[in-house]
Amino acid sequence: MSWYNVLNFFTFVSFAFILWISSNKSDEYYTRNRLGITVFVYSFIFVGLYLVMSDYYTGNTFLFSVADARTYERYSLAIVNSDMTIQEAISFLVKHRFDYDDWGAFIFMLYPYSIIKSKLALNFAYITLGTISSIFLFDIGNRFMLRSYAYLASLSYSIASYSLFFYGSHLKETAMLFFVTISFFCFFKYMDSRKSSNMLFGIIFSSILFFFRPVIAVLIWKSIMASYVLGKKNGSKT
């Protein structure tokens, strides 16, 4: 059995263990702080182990998904090294024939790379985004299910193996899902408070998704409008 298979097995066992020790607690146990700390620490440890394993077997830390990852890294670093503005970066991407649904990934990657020109900076940023997303998911889940269920649902999604893979990769899905989650969070906050600022932020964050996956932005807007119309018909607040 290879070390990679050992790590996969250990990840599965630890995942089950974390969920088990988090089950059947009182509501006071299920807090945003505990969830955030658990997701961040768990992700930090296992993403680090997977990066080491990837480097051991392949000589790079792209987690066995090299093609798109190298492209993102190459052009992101080229933009950072040239000290381009956002407008110049977009012109650069257009010149190299990148479609607009990739612009968001490149623009986002500029920020961690501008601090440290290393893929590890991007991975740390992705782990942080995953942690924040888990808290937003927990808050959204609290609207529809018991607090314990919302906690466990968010935790199981945020530390699942596919989430860890994207935290450790050089792909755009973690950032994209962050904007999906925060968009819904803002829209639900608007439904509760009727503050126009929440609606405005929801529109801004969902609009950013046009530069990741346009169809997702459209689906979010349609789902929110459908919820609003159905809520009106049923005479509810939403």
Side-chain angles (χ1 to χ4, degrees), residues 1-200:
M1 180 180 291
S2 69
W3 285 111
Y4 183 69
N5 289 331
V6 171
L7 178 57
N8 285 335
F9 177 76
F10 184 55
T11 303
F12 173 77
V13 171
S14 62
F15 174 82
F17 178 74
I18 291 292
L19 293 183
W20 177 68
I21 64 173
S22 299
S23 302
N24 301 317
K25 305 289 186 181
S26 64
D27 277 353
E28 290 73 20
Y29 177 89
Y30 302 110
T31 64
R32 300 165 92 241
N33 287 342
R34 176 173 277 109
L35 175 64
I37 292 171
T38 302
V39 170
F40 184 86
V41 172
Y42 185 95
S43 300
F44 188 87
I45 292 172
F46 280 96
V47 168
L49 290 174
Y50 274 109
L51 293 178
V52 170
M53 198 65 62
S54 177
D55 184 63
Y56 176 78
Y57 281 106
T58 67
N60 62 63
T61 58
F62 293 121
L63 298 188
F64 312 98
S65 180
V66 177
D68 288 342
R70 283 200 185 280
T71 300
Y72 283 129
E73 181 185 51
R74 176 187 172 188
Y75 286 95
S76 295
L77 286 173
I79 293 171
V80 171
N81 290 333
S82 300
D83 198 24
M84 298 181 191
T85 64
I86 297 298
Q87 293 81 0
E88 290 171 339
I90 292 175
S91 297
F92 174 81
L93 295 173
V94 171
K95 178 182 177 181
H96 288 84
R97 299 185 178 182
F98 286 102
D99 293 330
Y100 64 92
D101 59 355
D102 268 330
W103 295 358
F106 284 110
I107 300 304
F108 173 80
M109 291 173 187
L110 298 183
Y111 294 98
Y113 274 136
S114 65
I115 299 172
I116 302 176
K117 294 177 183 178
S118 167
K119 177 179 173 291
L120 297 180
L122 180 65
N123 295 143
F124 185 83
Y126 278 166
I127 291 172
T128 303
L129 285 188
T131 302
I132 297 171
S133 295
S134 72
I135 295 171
F136 286 142
L137 283 172
F138 177 50
D139 289 341
I140 293 170
N142 271 326
R143 295 176 56 92
F144 305 104
M145 61 186 78
L146 295 175
R147 188 174 184 85
S148 58
Y149 292 174
Y151 182 98
L152 292 172
S154 177
L155 177 63
S156 60
Y157 166 78
S158 302
I159 65 171
S161 57
Y162 52 81
S163 294
L164 296 179
F165 166 77
F166 285 118
Y167 299 160
S169 73
H170 204 299
L171 305 176
K172 63 184 179 182
E173 278 71 13
T174 298
M176 181 181 71
L177 290 172
F178 168 78
F179 288 114
V180 170
T181 307
I182 196 172
S183 296
F184 276 111
F185 176 79
C186 290
F187 283 126
F188 283 127
K189 289 289 286 184
Y190 168 75
M191 291 177 180
D192 290 337
S193 65
R194 295 299 177 182
K195 290 183 178 179
S196 58
S197 59
N198 290 325
M199 175 60 78
L200 177 61

Side-chain angles (χ1 to χ4, degrees), residues 221-234:
W221 290 355
K222 285 185 175 181
S223 66
I224 295 300
M225 287 189 289
S227 176
Y228 181 80
V229 171
L230 291 174
K232 284 291 185 182
K233 286 184 178 180
N234 295 330

